[in-house]
Amino acid sequence: MKIALMDSGIGLLPAAAAVRRLRPDADLVLSWDPDGMPWGPRTPEDITKRALAVAEAAAAHGPDVLIVACNTASVHSLPEMRARFEPDLPIIGTVPAIKPAAAGGGPVAIWATPATTGSPYQRGLIEEFANGVTVTEVPCPGLADAVHHADDSATEAAIAAAAALTPDDVTTVVLGCTNYELVADRIREAVQKPGAAPLILHGSAGAVAAQALRRIGEGPVPEAPAEGGLTVLLSGRETVLPAEALTYPEGRFLQAVSPAR
C-alpha cells in the first residue's frame, strides 16, 4: 500500500504521522512546494497551478490514494484535481473541521490563511454546518509560513496577532490550516482564558487519514510491522526530510519509524 500526501509546505506532517500510526506498513510519499510556498497569498488560479504540479510529482510514484493535506488547495483546487486524477487515483481533500466544532455549540473561531478566510467555500461550510452557532473567521497572515520555516519568533507574533482577533468567549478553535496543527499547543496557550473551561481545538489530520484508508478499502492496523518506506519530494525533487520538518515531533516520528527507500 502506498499513500501520498501533498501540501504547499510541512503542514502535511500531522496527517502523514496519523497515517503512519494507523498503518505502519504503508509506504508514504510526501510532496510539497518550497519553491512556491506560501500558497495563501496567491490567486486561486495560481494556487491550482502549483497544487496540480505538486500532485503530479506525487502521482508519478504510483500511490493508491492522494491526500490533499492543505486547506487552501482543497478550498480552491479540488474540482480540478479530481478531474485530473480520478477515478484512477482517489483524491482526499482537507476542509476546516467546522461541523464537529459547531456540534459543541460554540462560540467558534476558525483560524485560517487569508486565502481560506472568507472564501465562498468556507462560508458555505459555516452556513451548512454552523447554523445558529456564533462563528468568527480569523485570518492568520504569516502564520503558515512561519511554522513552515520553524521560525519561533515569527510564529509567536502571528499567533499573538490572531489571538487578539479571537473573541474572549470562544470555546472552540478550528485549525483551518494544516500547518497550525504543528503548533496547536502554542495556539491553545495564546487563546485560553484564565478560569475558563479548557479550550477545544479541532484539526483534521486524524479524520483525513482514516478517510484515505476507507477510500481504498483498508482499515487501521496499528500493530502492523513498521516496514513502510518514506519518499520526500520538494517541488518534485526527491530528497530527505528537511531540517525544519525535524523541529516538530511529527517529523521526528516519521523519520524514526520509516525505513529509507
Side-chain angles (χ1 to χ4, degrees):
M1 186 195 327
K2 184 177 289 187
I3 297 174
L5 300 97
M6 60 149 289
D7 191 0
S8 60
I10 62 175
L12 51 67
L13 292 178
V19 171
R20 174 60 79 229
R21 291 187 178 96
L22 293 175
R23 291 301 299 251
D25 55 336
D27 288 333
L28 300 183
V29 179
L30 311 185
S31 181
W32 70 82
D33 186 30
D35 292 357
M37 70 89 56
W39 288 354
R42 294 179 176 272
T43 65
E45 294 77 17
D46 200 15
I47 290 168
T48 297
K49 180 180 178 181
R50 306 292 311 191
L52 285 170
V54 173
E56 290 277 7
H61 288 258
D64 299 296
V65 62
L66 172 62
I67 296 172
V68 183
C70 176
N71 296 90
T72 297
S74 296
V75 163
H76 295 290
S77 310
L78 275 184
E80 291 85 353
M81 296 187 70
R82 287 180 169 142
R84 167 65 184 85
F85 295 106
E86 290 186 337
D88 295 336
L89 177 61
I91 302 295
I92 309 298
T94 300
V95 298
I98 294 169
K99 183 178 181 179
V108 174
I110 305 171
W111 285 31
T113 66
T116 300
T117 300
S119 65
Y121 189 90
Q122 180 162 291
R123 291 282 168 85
L125 292 174
I126 294 170
E127 291 174 6
E128 182 176 0
F129 296 119
N131 187 30
V133 175
T134 301
V135 176
T136 301
E137 296 179 274
V138 179
C140 305
L143 180 53
D145 196 28
V147 172
H148 174 82
H149 290 105
D151 185 331
D152 281 341
S153 60
T155 296
E156 291 300 327
I159 288 175
L165 298 176
T166 303
D168 289 345
D169 62 347
V170 157
T171 63
T172 306
V173 174
V174 175
L175 303 178
C177 170
T178 53
N179 283 43
Y180 304 169
E181 296 187 50
L182 293 168
V183 291
D185 289 345
R186 284 185 257 184
I187 291 172
R188 182 190 304 279
E189 183 179 355
V191 178
Q192 179 71 54
K193 296 297 184 288
L199 187 72
I200 300 169
L201 300 183
H202 282 276
S204 55
V208 166
Q211 175 64 8
L213 291 177
R214 284 193 293 269
R215 279 290 298 275
I216 58 175
E218 296 286 349
V221 187
E223 69 278 10
E227 298 173 346
L230 182 67
T231 300
V232 177
L233 306 171
L234 301 186
S235 297
R237 304 179 295 272
E238 189 165 343
T239 181
V240 296
L241 282 170
E244 61 263 27
L246 300 179
T247 64
Y248 298 103
E250 293 86 345
R252 295 193 295 272
F253 167 70
L254 288 168
Q255 184 184 60
V257 302
S258 300
R261 284 287 189 268

